[in-house]
Amino acid sequence: MAGNSQMFSGFKRIMWPLIAVVCLVVGLLIGKFVLTSNTSVASIKNLGDKTTIAADKLDTVMAMYTYDGKTSNITVKDVLELSGNLDSAKQKDGSYTLPSADGVLAAARTQIVLQEAENQGIKISDKELDEYTTQQLGSADYETLAKNYKVDVDVLKKLIREQAMTTKLREKATGLTAPTAPSAPTKPSDDNKDKATEDYAKYVIKLAGDQWDSKKNSWKDEAGSYAAALANYDFDGKTATYEVATIAYKTAMTEYSTKSQEITQTYQKFFNSLFAKATLSLSTLAS
């Protein structure tokens, strides 16, 4: 569906920078479709020996899928727009590069997820869109973001809104929220990594969370992950070195990775349950 790289495994990602940051759709859609025609995936990739298609043929249907009793078409344009930039597929002669079978499947899976979100009444207000964009990209300045990512503003907002819908859907369905990756400690400005500071101590305590007893200024449990990782250091909660902060960061990353993998599996099961109810027919677009 940034990026938390552990959360984005499985399916081919859309090839543009923004998706690596905000798109969980393609990264998590690892479901299976029932191919209702005799067309193989290999033949779709060949597309009847075609590699491009004329601009006036972008509405050509590449696939049809049925989900929740509703049958929908997927056109060449649908697949190309999923990348966020239709122009990137445009050739010098005005034709467009045909997308692969993977692209068709990504489009179908994305549309199914969005259809399910709509079925459950999930919507994203403009305020929520701004909040989500700021959270994921650091700003809701769509004009600047669109310029940076070389994409149309309306397309950018559409993709982010759809991603926000996907996030809402999966969290509603699973009751789980994807964890936030910890930030690495800032290197000392004077390059003195042996200097103990109050800031590094606060950084460690923040990462450790409820494993640290602030009233006693000690670990609640010496067997805890942070206490164990820092067992060879005399951490008093008042000051710490960059080295100690780095060890705490590595501990946090390990826990983040473990939790991410667990949640990803739950997300995947949910999305798979949607795709298992869908059927898909692919067309070769043969002349």
Side-chain angles (χ1 to χ4, degrees):
M1 124 92 148
N4 301 340
S5 59
Q6 293 89 346
M7 302 296 291
F8 303 143
S9 62
F11 196 76
K12 182 180 180 182
R13 295 187 186 131
I14 300 174
M15 301 306 293
W16 65 303
L18 176 62
I19 296 306
V21 182
V22 299
C23 189
L24 297 174
V25 175
V26 176
L28 291 178
L29 304 191
I30 317 177
K32 57 184 179 181
F33 284 94
V34 178
L35 298 182
T36 57
S37 71
N38 293 324
T39 306
S40 68
V41 171
S43 68
I44 298 303
K45 290 182 177 179
N46 292 331
L47 294 169
D49 294 328
K50 290 183 177 182
T51 58
T52 61
I53 193 168
D56 61 353
K57 300 293 184 181
L58 289 178
D59 289 330
T60 299
V61 175
M62 293 193 74
M64 296 174 60
Y65 71 88
T66 300
Y67 177 75
D68 195 29
K70 178 182 178 182
T71 299
S72 304
N73 293 332
I74 297 176
T75 67
V76 174
K77 186 177 181 181
D78 290 333
V79 181
L80 294 180
E81 285 188 339
L82 190 61
S83 69
N85 192 349
L86 185 64
D87 288 341
S88 64
K90 192 172 185 178
Q91 305 300 300
K92 292 181 179 179
D93 63 1
S95 64
Y96 288 80
T97 301
L98 277 168
S100 68
D102 282 350
V104 178
L105 292 174
R109 287 165 168 164
T110 299
Q111 289 186 19
I112 287 171
V113 170
L114 294 175
Q115 183 178 328
E116 180 62 27
E118 291 177 357
N119 290 348
Q120 296 196 27
I122 293 175
K123 298 180 180 179
I124 302 297
S125 66
D126 289 343
K127 180 180 179 181
E128 288 176 312
L129 179 65
D130 290 347
E131 291 174 347
Y132 186 85
T133 304
T134 300
Q135 178 186 18
Q136 298 296 332
L137 299 177
S139 167
D141 183 349
Y142 299 105
E143 293 288 344
T144 299
L145 290 171
K147 182 179 180 180
N148 291 341
Y149 292 115
K150 296 180 173 57
V151 63
D152 182 81
V153 173
D154 291 337
V155 172
L156 175 73
K157 294 177 74 171
K158 175 178 178 290
L159 289 171
I160 298 176
R161 189 182 297 275
E162 290 176 350
Q163 181 49 50
M165 288 178 65
T166 302
T167 300
K168 254 191 179 184
L169 172 64
R170 71 176 191 200
E171 292 179 354
K172 177 181 179 181
T174 66
L176 299 172
T177 300
T180 301
S183 299
T186 304
K187 292 183 179 181
S189 57
D190 58 3
D191 206 32
N192 183 359
K193 298 182 180 180
D194 295 324
K195 181 181 179 181
T197 69
E198 183 180 352
D199 286 341
Y200 285 136
K202 290 180 178 179
Y203 171 85
V204 172
I205 291 173
K206 183 177 181 180
L207 286 181
D210 59 8
Q211 291 192 39
W212 180 257
D213 189 330
S214 57
K215 293 182 179 180
K216 295 182 179 180
N217 261 353
S218 63
W219 300 110
K220 289 184 178 180
D221 184 355
E222 293 299 327
S225 57
Y226 288 91
L230 297 173
N232 294 328
Y233 297 86
D234 186 20
F235 181 69
D236 60 6
K238 298 178 181 179
T239 62
T241 63
Y242 175 73
E243 181 182 7
V244 169
T246 299
I247 293 174
Y249 168 68
K250 291 179 179 179
T251 302
M253 280 299 297
T254 297
E255 295 190 346
Y256 161 77
S257 178
T258 300
K259 185 177 181 180
S260 293
Q261 291 174 9
E262 293 174 350
I263 292 178
T264 296
Q265 292 175 359
T266 303
Y267 287 168
Q268 289 174 348
K269 288 179 181 178
F270 166 66
F271 284 123
N272 285 345
S273 71
L274 301 183
F275 305 140
K277 295 184 290 186
T279 58
L280 176 72
S281 295
L282 300 172
S283 169
T284 60
L285 296 186
S287 300

